[in-house]
Amino acid sequence: MPNVDSVKVAVRVRPFSQREKDAGSRCVISMNSNSTSIYDPRNPGHMKTFTFDLAYWSHSGFLKDENGTFISAGSNSYAGQREVFRDLGQGVLESAWQGYNATLLAYGQTGSGKSYSMIGYGANRGLVPSVCEELFKAIQSQEKNKQYQITFSMLEIYNEQVIDLLSKTRKPSGLKIREDQHQGFYVDGLKLVPCDNYAQIERLMDQGNKMRTTATTTMNASSSRSHMVVTIQFKQIFLDEAITKQSVINLVDLAGSERQKSSGSEKDRLKEGTRVNLSLTTLGNVISALAEAATGKRVLHIPYRDSVLTKLLQSALGGNSKTIMIAAVSPADICYEETLSTLRYAERTKKIRNKAVVNASPAEKLIREMKAENNKLLSRLAGLGSTGRSIADETQLRLLAESEGQMRSTQAAWEARLEEARQEWEKQYAAVTQERRMMETFPYLLNINEDPQLSWVLKHFIQDGTCDVGQSTSNAIILRGLGILDKHATFTNADGKVTLAPQDMCKVIVNGVPITGKTKLQHLDRVILGSNSAYLYVGPPAERTEEDLSRYDYDFFQSELAAAEGFSVDKLGAAGSGEGRADPSVLAAFHDYIKLMPLVAEANQMSQELKKELTFELKVKNLALSDSRGHDLQKEITVKVTHATTNQVWVWSKAKFINRKFLMEELYQRFLEGENTDVNQDSDPFWDPVEVVHVGSAHVWLQALAYRMKLEEQTELLNSEGLEEAVVLINLSPCSSDGRLFGEDDMVIDPLELLGRRVDFQIHVAECLGVKWLRDAVGRGIQIGYRVYDLPRSLYTKPVWKNVNPKIEETVHFSALNASYEFLNYLQKNALIVDLWGLQEGCVEMDYSLDGLLLTSEGTVVVDNPKALTASSAGLDTGNEVPELYRKLLQMEQETELLREVNRALREENVLLQDKLKKWDTGHHEKKKSESPTKAIKMMKQPLGETEEMCSHRTSCDAEFAKALKIFYQNMNVVRQQFLQLKHSRPPEDNLQALRLFTERQSQMISDFGKQLESTIYKLKSDVALIVKKKREYTAHSKS
């Protein structure tokens, strides 16, 4: 009977990486028993909880013992390699001993700790070596009447090709997958190495890793995008019973499961067109289909046959196997999206149900039945007397001899295979011994790989004299990798000193800095040859120290490169919060930048060799830009693509670039294999239709419109890095419904005076000055766009081509028919974001019509339309994604405005009461002096004159106050421009004289800014004080 059970799922969270520690990352994972919770770093109150069979907390609470093993630091919560093996590895072994097939899958994003759990590092051995060693230990303690046969194989799947990691020769198209009626899918021609001890398996794994490292370099393949499968075939032969049990143990380290943003891939015309992602995508489809089937849904098709990986794992998923998945996750807030995706993937996997059976040979069952029948016949013969007994004895002896002969033949064949494997192992052992002797004599290069398992695997020795390095077989050091030429560089080892000299036009980087001439190397220098072949230089024995080399990992190399380019968290504007840590979006952008650097270098090299004339450059979107309320926008990494001949420009998202990079690799691989690389334009990963490019943005604050004041603004259009791209002249003018511009007399003191009234204004884009986009290349144009309040789309000016200082002179009239409080609040607190868009010949221009917008009968554009108003378009940030704290703050602002309205109403009522009181006083005086009509007439005329004078004085005060406010706002605009110039100024690099001039200029600008600010505030105070003084003098005069 089949043993039906679900896939067992465990989740494990690793410690912070050094990069995450340096960036001040926060942990967003917590565990309690078998449950795992993840917190959204952007909304800490939002938490998701998952329940699995096992949850391993390996993030904290550990220390290193004298052997280098990580153990618990007194806390019972920490789970080390031993605990993981006890729960998962022992289960694999128990299944194998019972005759079941067993599969262990490791899933997670690159760098999440999959390989650590599966292989381990140093003394902290992972599941694969522990399972193999414990299997041989158990064999040694078994009974003598059993025989055991173990074979080991190791393969890699990359780009739908199967690579045998134990074979010295590699077929160009990889090994083929075949299907057998009884065996299922298998790899034809895969090398199966017999082993009789763990030391042999350990050496085979080293050999496989070395082959894998060489293959990733030669094929320009990222190991994080390949799957590694270790297969152990374990056969038990029970001599007394003449039966066998056979188990296949698959230990699978899956490719990195990076989750790409859907918005990035949907915009790519070649979305997910690469075979690199096919196996992982198909695995997800298989798991989803099996999970649905397990819940009772009708599933017509399980797509096992759609990829190489799912063919080989068919028995592990829903078939004849006992399967375990370990989902490895990162604890860092910058990896939140990928971690959440991994947990959801694991949750689907645990629903799959397998039907495992004991693998006993059906032929052996038939043999046992035949032996039983023969024994019955022999018994009957024995009952026939001496003749029968003689025949029975002869038959039994013959059958016994045949059985023993078959056993000896099988055992001899197995011993022959073992002997062949031992001889090969001895040759490899001699090579390892020779390598160790050379390490103690010569300096050497030690490879550094993105996958820690593949780092420190290859060693290239620099012997005395000159030592050429490159792709040519005549070189002393043969290196094959992207951007490495036949003769790339020369090492010279003389008098205990080693120098490195690149050949002409060959790319060589030492400690993050490109070199062009002979350079002396120091112990532990970092060397990069070509696009991304990274090596740690280990000096002669006399220079070596006891320093821990583990710190010089792949991240160290890339961070050093970024630092040499002047890129850091500080450059991203990561001003620490109150807790002294950077914003999570800034850290995520920095993480992405470091991760994409080598990919961009490789893309540039492939473009060069394939003669595509494209240059790829990393950019930070929104580096120095903010939203309409002045808050920093979330920073993202993009890739700027420029054509060397046409100067055409594209901007690709991170997801689009990664997808294209894989497609480029496929095309480049065909180029290396001598195949035709001509593809039609639509299938070319290097080609895209010409598109409109966002060049820069400017902020024009709308506060003047709230007071019905005209604003004439000349402001810089800044690119994402805060550098000036152009200057735009734009006017905001309050007006009447027929377009008549308002003057000073129409200004209001309080914007709430406009509440419920019609508000009209015009936006006039006059011209652009010094447009760099137009200056840098011919055949270019621009359009300017902006979006007001709740409009459903942006408005654009008409295209202007080939003019560096284009006159635009376009005006749009807007009308708020019944101004709401929200609209007036928008005018007071928001800016109009003006975007500069770059046009290129052949691109589709922006729609500059007013189609789709609501217009009044006069033809003006309607804003503040209650039906169209949404939180997102209003820019009020009151959507569900906004933290509760901000919603409370907005509510408090509204309540404050309401209190101001009440206060103003009370003041008006107070003035009215004072007027009534004065009238009562006047009437009272008239009554007293009625005896003298002439005198009474004089007295009646006097209050009337005073009233007129009072009204005239109040009007005069209001006008003076309005004038003072206007001057204040105009001066503050100047102050704001000075502040923006200070904010976006960038110091020059690598030029001391220019830096000194920059410092002096900044000091002068800060001084001017301070003086202007003080002058503005002093002017306002003086004007208000003068108005108050005049009012007090008049009041005192009136009383006297």
Side-chain angles (χ1 to χ4, degrees):
M1 287 292 292
N3 188 322
V4 180
D5 58 1
S6 299
V7 173
K8 188 175 184 178
V9 177
V11 63
R12 189 180 191 188
V13 57
R14 62 162 172 78
F16 283 134
S17 67
Q18 189 59 48
R19 185 194 301 169
E20 291 163 348
K21 289 178 183 177
D22 295 341
S25 296
R26 288 183 299 180
C27 179
V28 294
I29 295 288
S30 65
M31 289 180 170
N32 182 17
S33 186
N34 292 341
S35 67
T36 301
S37 299
I38 182 170
Y39 304 85
D40 188 341
R42 295 181 298 275
N43 186 6
H46 186 64
M47 178 183 73
K48 287 184 172 64
T49 300
F50 302 84
T51 302
F52 300 105
D53 297 288
L54 293 161
Y56 295 116
W57 179 262
S58 303
H59 175 64
S60 60
F62 61 90
L63 53 83
K64 187 184 291 188
D65 66 10
E66 63 276 6
N67 298 320
T69 305
F70 294 119
I71 59 174
S72 174
S75 170
N76 294 327
S77 60
Y78 175 73
Q81 298 286 62
R82 294 173 184 171
E83 288 75 19
V84 174
F85 172 75
R86 180 193 63 205
D87 295 336
L88 304 182
Q90 288 289 6
V92 170
L93 288 174
E94 288 172 6
S95 299
W97 280 106
Q98 293 169 16
Y100 293 107
N101 293 334
T103 302
L104 179 60
L105 305 169
Y107 181 87
Q109 71 175 112
T110 301
S112 61
K114 299 189 309 297
S115 297
Y116 178 76
S117 293
M118 292 296 286
I119 308 297
Y121 309 126
N124 300 281
R125 293 190 307 165
L127 287 164
V128 174
S130 296
V131 164
C132 295
E133 184 176 29
E134 291 300 320
L135 180 60
F136 280 108
K137 283 184 179 179
I139 288 174
Q140 292 174 1
S141 62
Q142 294 296 315
E143 300 173 4
K144 299 299 182 182
N145 59 345
K146 297 179 183 178
Q147 288 184 355
Y148 304 95
Q149 296 180 2
I150 295 176
T151 59
F152 181 91
S153 66
M154 190 174 181
L155 63 85
E156 182 180 45
I157 302 171
Y158 178 78
N159 200 21
E160 288 302 281
Q161 292 185 7
V162 179
I163 304 164
D164 188 346
L165 296 177
L166 300 183
S167 175
K168 294 180 180 180
T169 58
R170 174 181 171 268
K171 293 185 178 180
S173 57
L175 301 178
K176 301 298 181 184
I177 302 294
R178 310 289 185 194
E179 187 176 12
D180 179 77
Q181 184 176 359
H182 302 291
Q183 191 177 349
F185 289 106
Y186 67 97
V187 181
D188 187 21
L190 182 66
K191 187 174 183 179
L192 303 176
V193 182
C195 302
D196 60 358
N197 60 64
Y198 171 67
Q200 292 177 345
I201 285 186
E202 195 172 32
R203 182 57 199 151
L204 288 171
M205 289 177 62
D206 290 342
Q207 178 187 340
N209 279 334
K210 185 171 288 189
M211 181 68 70
R212 193 181 183 199
T213 306
T214 305
T216 56
T217 305
T218 304
M219 296 173 61
N220 184 39
S222 170
S223 65
S224 64
R225 302 304 298 170
S226 65
H227 315 279
M228 185 186 72
V229 182
V230 170
T231 302
I232 302 164
Q233 293 186 0
F234 176 44
K235 187 174 184 180
Q236 305 174 66
I237 304 173
F238 298 83
L239 300 176
D240 294 345
E241 304 174 32
I243 62 170
T244 64
K245 285 183 181 179
Q246 184 159 328
S247 172
V248 177
I249 304 173
N250 287 311
L251 306 170
V252 186
D253 189 356
L254 294 170
S257 60
E258 279 65 40
R259 175 185 177 273
Q260 301 300 336
K261 292 183 180 178
S262 58
S263 60
S265 59
E266 286 170 1
K267 292 180 181 178
D268 190 1
R269 62 185 179 84
L270 297 176
K271 58 180 180 180
E272 293 302 321
T274 171
R275 294 191 299 166
V276 174
N277 294 325
L278 181 60
S279 281
L280 208 57
T281 302
T282 306
L283 179 63
N285 296 336
V286 167
I287 287 175
S288 296
L290 290 171
E292 288 184 4
T295 59
K297 293 183 181 180
R298 186 183 179 189
V299 178
L300 299 177
H301 174 62
I302 309 294
Y304 290 115
R305 295 176 177 271
D306 290 359
S307 77
V308 168
L309 178 68
T310 47
K311 285 178 182 177
L312 295 179
L313 293 182
Q314 181 170 2
S315 63
L317 299 170
N320 177 25
S321 177
K322 292 199 169 187
T323 302
I324 299 170
M325 172 187 276
I326 180 166
V329 296
S330 163
D333 47 8
I334 59 177
C335 299
Y336 168 77
E337 295 291 346
E338 286 82 1
T339 298
L340 180 60
S341 177
T342 298
L343 292 173
R344 286 173 172 162
Y345 196 97
E347 189 174 41
R348 292 196 301 272
T349 304
K350 73 178 185 180
K351 298 175 183 177
I352 298 174
R353 298 180 68 80
N354 287 351
K355 300 176 181 178
V357 297
V358 174
N359 297 301
S361 172
E364 289 167 353
K365 180 181 178 183
L366 180 62
I367 290 171
R368 287 200 307 273
E369 291 174 353
M370 290 178 65
K371 282 185 176 180
E373 183 66 24
N374 286 341
N375 287 333
K376 289 180 183 179
L377 292 173
L378 290 171
S379 298
R380 291 177 62 184
L381 284 170
L384 296 176
S386 59
T387 305
R389 280 195 299 272
S390 175
I391 295 173
D393 291 342
E394 290 178 5
T395 303
Q396 196 165 10
L397 288 172
R398 180 173 54 81
L399 290 173
L400 181 60
E402 289 177 359
S403 176
E404 288 178 351
Q406 290 176 354
M407 293 289 293
R408 282 194 298 270
S409 176
T410 302
Q411 186 64 22
W414 174 251
E415 289 292 343
R417 291 181 63 192
L418 273 178
E419 183 59 31
E420 183 181 349
R422 285 193 196 102
Q423 291 176 2
E424 187 173 345
W425 182 79
E426 287 174 0
K427 292 178 183 178
Q428 293 173 0
Y429 182 77
V432 170
T433 304
Q434 175 68 15
E435 182 181 88
R436 287 175 180 169
R437 280 199 296 266
M438 294 184 72
M439 287 172 62
E440 297 171 357
T441 307
F442 299 106
Y444 57 92
L445 298 176
L446 194 61
N447 83 295
I448 303 296
N449 195 282
E450 179 185 10
D451 185 347
Q453 291 296 328
L454 304 185
S455 288
W456 305 2
V457 172
L458 302 177
K459 300 175 184 67
H460 300 290
F461 295 96
I462 305 170
Q463 300 188 43
D464 295 338
T466 59
C467 181
D468 291 334
V469 58
Q471 297 217 28
S472 173
T473 54
S474 62
N475 293 321
I477 298 177
I478 302 171
L479 291 183
R480 305 191 188 281
L482 194 59
I484 294 181
L485 303 185
D486 285 344
K487 187 175 181 181
H488 195 87
T490 301
F491 289 92
T492 303
N493 183 359
D495 301 325
K497 297 178 181 179
V498 176
T499 58
L500 171 61
Q503 298 297 320
D504 292 339
M505 305 301 291
C506 292
K507 184 178 179 181
V508 177
I509 295 174
V510 176
N511 299 335
V513 180
I515 64 170
T516 55
K518 182 177 288 190
T519 302
K520 181 183 176 183
L521 295 182
Q522 304 289 339
H523 178 55
L524 300 184
D525 275 350
R526 282 76 59 201
V527 178
I528 297 178
L529 303 172
S531 296
N532 199 33
S533 297
Y535 296 91
L536 183 66
Y537 169 71
V538 179
E543 297 181 10
R544 298 174 194 174
T545 62
E546 297 298 324
E547 183 177 354
D548 183 12
L549 304 186
S550 61
R551 64 187 292 258
Y552 298 105
D553 58 5
Y554 188 79
D555 280 354
F556 186 97
F557 275 63
Q558 299 307 321
S559 298
E560 186 174 55
L561 276 175
E565 294 175 6
F567 187 83
S568 64
V569 174
D570 292 335
K571 183 179 178 181
L572 284 174
S577 64
E579 299 176 357
R581 66 180 306 277
D583 181 82
S585 70
V586 171
L587 300 178
F590 181 73
H591 179 87
D592 288 342
Y593 190 96
I594 297 295
K595 179 180 175 182
L596 290 178
M597 280 180 60
L599 303 186
V600 168
E602 291 167 4
N604 279 319
Q605 186 63 39
M606 287 188 283
S607 171
Q608 179 181 336
E609 294 188 33
L610 293 172
K611 296 181 173 55
K612 295 295 183 178
E613 296 188 283
L614 292 183
T615 301
F616 299 88
E617 182 182 4
L618 283 174
K619 293 290 181 181
V620 185
K621 183 180 179 182
N622 303 326
L623 177 61
L625 301 183
S626 55
D627 63 13
S628 65
R629 301 194 70 164
H631 302 146
D632 287 343
L633 292 170
Q634 182 168 328
K635 295 165 179 58
E636 296 179 13
I637 302 300
T638 59
V639 178
K640 181 181 177 182
V641 187
T642 307
H643 195 284
T645 303
T646 65
N647 286 320
Q648 291 173 335
V649 174
W650 298 263
V651 178
W652 290 355
S653 68
K654 169 191 165 186
K656 180 175 180 177
F657 170 73
I658 291 176
N659 186 47
R660 291 297 183 90
K661 169 68 166 49
F662 292 140
L663 289 165
M664 293 174 193
E665 288 176 10
E666 292 181 13
L667 190 64
Y668 184 72
Q669 190 61 36
R670 287 163 53 184
F671 167 74
L672 292 180
E673 293 172 358
E675 298 180 17
N676 183 17
T677 57
D678 293 335
V679 292
N680 61 58
Q681 204 173 58
D682 291 337
S683 302
D684 189 351
F686 290 92
W687 181 85
D688 249 357
V690 183
E691 60 187 26
V692 178
V693 178
H694 184 264
V695 176
S697 297
H699 282 55
V700 179
W701 293 93
L702 300 169
Q703 193 175 37
L705 291 178
Y707 294 90
R708 291 217 297 209
M709 293 170 53
K710 183 177 180 179
L711 176 66
E712 297 178 352
E713 187 84 337
Q714 177 174 316
T715 184
E716 297 173 325
L717 287 157
L718 305 176
N719 61 23
S720 63
E721 296 179 351
L723 302 177
E724 181 184 319
E725 288 289 340
V727 173
V728 63
L729 276 65
I730 189 167
N731 300 325
L732 308 180
S733 304
C735 62
S736 62
S737 59
D738 59 1
R740 178 183 61 84
L741 300 183
F742 286 154
E744 291 183 6
D745 294 339
D746 299 298
M747 193 184 79
V748 297
I749 303 301
D750 190 340
L752 288 174
E753 294 179 29
L754 302 176
L755 186 65
R757 296 167 57 184
R758 174 165 176 162
V759 174
D760 288 82
F761 59 94
Q762 296 176 0
I763 296 179
H764 173 228
V765 182
E767 62 179 324
C768 251
L769 302 175
V771 183
K772 291 183 180 179
W773 169 260
L774 299 174
R775 188 188 304 147
D776 291 344
V778 297
R780 287 181 174 180
I782 63 161
Q783 282 183 276
I784 290 179
Y786 56 86
R787 184 176 177 181
V788 180
Y789 194 48
D790 58 351
L791 291 182
R793 65 176 180 84
S794 295
L795 302 182
Y796 298 97
T797 61
K798 293 178 181 178
V800 181
W801 294 85
K802 304 177 182 179
N803 187 348
V804 178
N805 300 305
K807 297 282 187 182
I808 298 174
E809 301 296 346
E810 292 194 24
T811 303
V812 180
H813 187 148
F814 299 90
S815 300
L817 302 179
N818 186 5
S820 65
Y821 168 77
E822 289 80 10
F823 177 65
L824 295 175
N825 188 51
Y826 164 79
L827 291 180
Q828 293 180 79
K829 297 181 179 180
N830 289 58
L832 181 73
I833 298 180
V834 181
D835 292 310
L836 177 64
W837 294 91
L839 304 177
Q840 308 177 84
E841 286 186 358
C843 72
V844 179
E845 299 172 348
M846 302 287 196
D847 181 10
Y848 51 86
S849 71
L850 299 180
D851 295 344
L853 301 178
L854 181 63
L855 304 178
T856 64
S857 58
E858 299 94 344
T860 64
V861 179
V862 176
V863 294
D864 194 18
N865 180 12
K867 294 181 180 179
L869 185 62
T870 62
S872 59
S873 63
L876 297 176
D877 296 335
T878 57
N880 293 330
E881 296 181 359
V882 179
E884 183 69 22
L885 183 61
Y886 182 75
R887 286 199 291 269
K888 290 180 179 179
L889 181 60
L890 186 63
Q891 185 179 358
M892 288 175 64
E893 289 180 355
Q894 294 171 346
E895 291 174 354
T896 303
E897 292 297 338
L898 182 61
L899 288 173
R900 287 175 182 163
E901 285 189 58
V902 173
N903 188 31
R904 187 174 62 256
L906 289 173
R907 286 201 309 269
E908 292 174 355
E909 186 178 357
N910 187 24
V911 172
L912 183 62
L913 289 173
Q914 287 180 356
D915 288 342
K916 287 183 178 180
L917 182 60
K918 288 178 182 178
K919 288 178 182 179
W920 182 83
D921 286 341
T922 303
H924 183 65
H925 288 305
E926 288 174 1
K927 190 174 182 180
K928 277 189 173 184
K929 300 177 181 179
S930 58
E931 305 91 24
S932 177
T934 306
K935 194 174 182 179
I937 291 171
K938 289 180 180 178
M939 291 295 294
M940 289 177 66
K941 287 182 178 179
Q942 185 179 356
L944 183 60
E946 288 177 0
T947 303
E948 289 176 354
E949 185 179 350
M950 183 184 297
C951 292
S952 174
H953 179 74
R954 181 182 298 119
T955 304
S956 175
C957 286
D958 287 348
E960 288 182 14
F961 186 63
K963 185 177 180 181
L965 278 178
K966 179 180 179 182
I967 293 171
F968 175 72
Y969 287 134
Q970 289 173 342
N971 288 338
M972 283 305 294
N973 276 328
V974 175
V975 170
R976 185 173 62 81
Q977 287 296 323
Q978 291 177 331
F979 173 73
L980 289 175
Q981 288 180 357
L982 283 168
K983 179 180 178 182
H984 298 302
S985 296
R986 293 289 184 271
E989 297 179 3
D990 302 330
N991 190 326
L992 187 59
Q993 183 64 26
L995 184 61
R996 187 178 292 111
L997 293 173
F998 172 82
T999 305
E1000 293 174 359
R1001 189 168 61 252
Q1002 286 290 97
S1003 299
Q1004 185 61 45
M1005 289 173 64
I1006 292 172
S1007 175
D1008 294 342
F1009 170 75
K1011 290 177 182 178
Q1012 181 67 36
L1013 182 59
E1014 288 180 6
S1015 173
T1016 300
I1017 295 173
Y1018 178 76
K1019 174 67 175 170
L1020 179 64
K1021 287 181 178 179
S1022 300
D1023 290 343
V1024 172
L1026 185 61
I1027 295 169
V1028 171
K1029 182 180 179 182
K1030 288 181 179 179
K1031 193 168 185 178
R1032 286 176 178 172
E1033 289 175 352
Y1034 175 78
T1035 304
H1037 175 72
S1038 299
K1039 289 181 178 179
S1040 63

